[in-house]
Short mmCIF file of all heavy atoms in Angstrom, two decimals:
data_model
loop_
_atom_site.label_atom_id
_atom_site.label_comp_id
_atom_site.label_asym_id
_atom_site.label_seq_id
_atom_site.Cartn_x
_atom_site.Cartn_y
_atom_site.Cartn_z
N CYS A 169 -53.66 -129.13 70.05
CA CYS A 169 -52.92 -130.31 69.59
C CYS A 169 -52.34 -131.11 70.77
O CYS A 169 -52.28 -132.34 70.73
CB CYS A 169 -51.83 -129.93 68.61
SG CYS A 169 -50.62 -128.73 69.22
N LYS A 170 -51.91 -130.42 71.83
CA LYS A 170 -51.34 -131.12 72.98
C LYS A 170 -52.37 -132.05 73.62
O LYS A 170 -52.08 -133.22 73.90
CB LYS A 170 -50.83 -130.11 74.00
CG LYS A 170 -50.03 -130.71 75.16
CD LYS A 170 -49.43 -129.61 76.03
CE LYS A 170 -48.49 -130.17 77.07
NZ LYS A 170 -49.17 -131.01 78.06
N LYS A 171 -53.57 -131.55 73.85
CA LYS A 171 -54.63 -132.38 74.46
C LYS A 171 -55.02 -133.53 73.55
O LYS A 171 -55.27 -134.65 74.01
CB LYS A 171 -55.85 -131.51 74.77
CG LYS A 171 -55.66 -130.56 75.94
CD LYS A 171 -56.96 -129.82 76.26
CE LYS A 171 -56.77 -128.89 77.46
NZ LYS A 171 -58.01 -128.14 77.78
N GLU A 172 -55.10 -133.27 72.25
CA GLU A 172 -55.49 -134.32 71.30
C GLU A 172 -54.46 -135.44 71.25
O GLU A 172 -54.82 -136.62 71.21
CB GLU A 172 -55.68 -133.72 69.90
CG GLU A 172 -56.93 -132.88 69.74
CD GLU A 172 -58.20 -133.70 69.94
OE1 GLU A 172 -58.24 -134.86 69.49
OE2 GLU A 172 -59.14 -133.17 70.57
N ILE A 173 -53.19 -135.09 71.27
CA ILE A 173 -52.13 -136.11 71.25
C ILE A 173 -52.11 -136.89 72.55
O ILE A 173 -51.96 -138.12 72.57
CB ILE A 173 -50.76 -135.46 70.97
CG1 ILE A 173 -50.71 -134.90 69.56
CG2 ILE A 173 -49.63 -136.45 71.20
CD1 ILE A 173 -50.87 -135.93 68.45
N GLU A 174 -52.28 -136.20 73.68
CA GLU A 174 -52.33 -136.88 74.98
C GLU A 174 -53.46 -137.89 75.02
O GLU A 174 -53.31 -139.00 75.53
CB GLU A 174 -52.50 -135.85 76.10
CG GLU A 174 -51.25 -135.04 76.40
CD GLU A 174 -51.51 -133.97 77.44
OE1 GLU A 174 -52.69 -133.72 77.77
OE2 GLU A 174 -50.53 -133.36 77.94
N ARG A 175 -54.60 -137.49 74.48
CA ARG A 175 -55.77 -138.40 74.46
C ARG A 175 -55.53 -139.59 73.54
O ARG A 175 -55.78 -140.74 73.91
CB ARG A 175 -57.00 -137.62 73.99
CG ARG A 175 -58.27 -138.48 73.88
CD ARG A 175 -59.30 -137.84 72.97
NE ARG A 175 -58.76 -137.54 71.66
CZ ARG A 175 -58.55 -138.45 70.73
NH1 ARG A 175 -58.80 -139.72 70.97
NH2 ARG A 175 -58.06 -138.11 69.55
N ALA A 176 -55.02 -139.32 72.34
CA ALA A 176 -54.87 -140.37 71.34
C ALA A 176 -53.81 -141.40 71.73
O ALA A 176 -53.96 -142.60 71.46
CB ALA A 176 -54.53 -139.74 69.99
N PHE A 177 -52.73 -140.95 72.38
CA PHE A 177 -51.61 -141.84 72.68
C PHE A 177 -51.53 -142.18 74.16
O PHE A 177 -50.44 -142.40 74.69
CB PHE A 177 -50.31 -141.20 72.20
CG PHE A 177 -50.22 -141.06 70.72
CD1 PHE A 177 -50.45 -139.84 70.11
CD2 PHE A 177 -49.94 -142.15 69.91
CE1 PHE A 177 -50.38 -139.70 68.73
CE2 PHE A 177 -49.88 -142.04 68.54
CZ PHE A 177 -50.10 -140.81 67.94
N VAL A 178 -52.68 -142.24 74.81
CA VAL A 178 -52.71 -142.52 76.25
C VAL A 178 -52.10 -143.89 76.57
O VAL A 178 -51.54 -144.10 77.64
CB VAL A 178 -54.16 -142.43 76.80
CG1 VAL A 178 -55.05 -143.50 76.21
CG2 VAL A 178 -54.16 -142.46 78.32
N ASP A 179 -52.18 -144.84 75.63
CA ASP A 179 -51.64 -146.18 75.86
C ASP A 179 -50.35 -146.44 75.09
O ASP A 179 -49.91 -147.59 74.96
CB ASP A 179 -52.69 -147.24 75.46
CG ASP A 179 -53.93 -147.18 76.33
OD1 ASP A 179 -53.77 -146.96 77.54
OD2 ASP A 179 -55.04 -147.36 75.80
N VAL A 180 -49.77 -145.38 74.57
CA VAL A 180 -48.54 -145.50 73.77
C VAL A 180 -47.42 -144.71 74.44
O VAL A 180 -47.63 -143.59 74.89
CB VAL A 180 -48.76 -144.98 72.33
CG1 VAL A 180 -47.47 -145.09 71.53
CG2 VAL A 180 -49.88 -145.76 71.64
N GLU A 181 -46.23 -145.31 74.51
CA GLU A 181 -45.08 -144.62 75.09
C GLU A 181 -44.69 -143.43 74.21
O GLU A 181 -44.47 -143.58 73.01
CB GLU A 181 -43.90 -145.58 75.17
CG GLU A 181 -42.73 -145.08 75.97
CD GLU A 181 -42.90 -145.28 77.46
OE1 GLU A 181 -43.74 -146.10 77.86
OE2 GLU A 181 -42.19 -144.60 78.22
N TYR A 182 -44.65 -142.24 74.78
CA TYR A 182 -44.21 -141.08 74.00
C TYR A 182 -43.61 -140.01 74.90
O TYR A 182 -43.91 -139.96 76.09
CB TYR A 182 -45.37 -140.50 73.16
CG TYR A 182 -46.32 -139.58 73.90
CD1 TYR A 182 -46.10 -138.20 73.93
CD2 TYR A 182 -47.44 -140.08 74.56
CE1 TYR A 182 -46.97 -137.35 74.59
CE2 TYR A 182 -48.31 -139.23 75.22
CZ TYR A 182 -48.08 -137.88 75.24
OH TYR A 182 -48.94 -137.04 75.91
N TYR A 183 -42.75 -139.17 74.30
CA TYR A 183 -42.09 -138.10 75.04
C TYR A 183 -42.19 -136.80 74.25
O TYR A 183 -42.09 -136.79 73.02
CB TYR A 183 -40.62 -138.44 75.29
CG TYR A 183 -40.43 -139.64 76.16
CD1 TYR A 183 -39.96 -140.84 75.62
CD2 TYR A 183 -40.73 -139.60 77.51
CE1 TYR A 183 -39.80 -141.97 76.41
CE2 TYR A 183 -40.57 -140.72 78.31
CZ TYR A 183 -40.11 -141.90 77.76
OH TYR A 183 -39.95 -143.01 78.55
N THR A 184 -42.36 -135.72 74.97
CA THR A 184 -42.50 -134.40 74.34
C THR A 184 -41.12 -133.75 74.18
O THR A 184 -40.38 -133.62 75.15
CB THR A 184 -43.40 -133.48 75.18
OG1 THR A 184 -44.69 -134.09 75.31
CG2 THR A 184 -43.54 -132.12 74.53
N LEU A 185 -40.81 -133.35 72.95
CA LEU A 185 -39.56 -132.66 72.66
C LEU A 185 -39.73 -131.15 72.67
O LEU A 185 -38.83 -130.41 73.04
CB LEU A 185 -39.01 -133.10 71.30
CG LEU A 185 -38.75 -134.59 71.09
CD1 LEU A 185 -38.20 -134.83 69.69
CD2 LEU A 185 -37.80 -135.12 72.14
N GLU A 186 -40.90 -130.69 72.22
CA GLU A 186 -41.17 -129.25 72.15
C GLU A 186 -42.67 -129.03 72.21
O GLU A 186 -43.43 -129.75 71.57
CB GLU A 186 -40.59 -128.68 70.85
CG GLU A 186 -40.63 -127.16 70.78
CD GLU A 186 -39.95 -126.62 69.53
OE1 GLU A 186 -39.42 -127.42 68.73
OE2 GLU A 186 -39.95 -125.38 69.35
#
Side-chain angles (χ1 to χ4, degrees):
C169 58
K170 188 173 187 294
K171 288 185 179 179
E172 287 297 321
I173 292 299
E174 286 175 349
R175 178 200 55 76
F177 294 102
V178 65
D179 295 321
V180 179
E181 191 82 18
Y182 81 92
Y183 296 108
T184 301
L185 303 181
E186 189 175 359

